[in-house]
Amino acid sequence: MKHVSAWGDLDSRFWELTYEDCLNLIAQVPVVAASIYRRMYKNGQIIPSEDSLDYGANFAHMLGFDSSLMLELMRLYVTIHSDHEGGNVNGHLV
């Protein structure tokens, strides 16, 4: 017997829509973080994201760093940080 709720057909897809909303929210975290940084330390000038850059380079760009060295450093930082927090937290100690 199928459960019928006040949500109707939406009830069966609720987790899918919630998951999509969560991913969209997480995707905006670098934009929010860069905006806060720019407001606090760089006179509030917001730099829009650049679609041609990858995740780490785009974050560095939005922070206001455009040197190739800084873009590469941010790529490395994001990679190491995501690896560290993504699984075994003390994996770097082994």
Side-chain angles (χ1 to χ4, degrees):
M1 183 169 159
K2 184 177 177 184
H3 174 70
V4 178
S5 72
W7 291 92
D9 289 337
L10 186 61
D11 190 44
S12 63
R13 289 188 359 113
F14 182 74
W15 70 271
E16 293 175 19
L17 300 173
T18 303
Y19 180 70
E20 185 177 345
D21 287 346
C22 290
L23 289 179
N24 289 335
L25 185 61
I26 291 170
Q28 294 303 313
V29 168
V31 175
V32 172
S35 297
I36 291 170
Y37 172 79
R38 299 289 299 175
R39 271 185 70 96
M40 294 292 296
Y41 302 108
K42 301 294 182 184
N43 299 325
Q45 279 187 318
I46 305 300
I47 300 172
S49 64
E50 181 65 46
D51 292 337
S52 64
L53 297 173
D54 59 67
Y55 186 88
N58 195 26
F59 184 54
H61 167 74
M62 289 187 296
L63 290 174
F65 302 102
D66 283 324
S67 74
S68 60
L69 183 62
M70 187 61 183
L71 298 183
E72 194 62 34
L73 177 66
M74 189 58 74
R75 284 185 189 110
L76 178 63
Y77 173 79
V78 168
T79 301
I80 289 173
H81 183 70
S82 64
D83 179 53
H84 179 70
E85 296 298 328
N88 185 0
V89 177
N90 55 358
H92 293 287
L93 299 175
V94 178

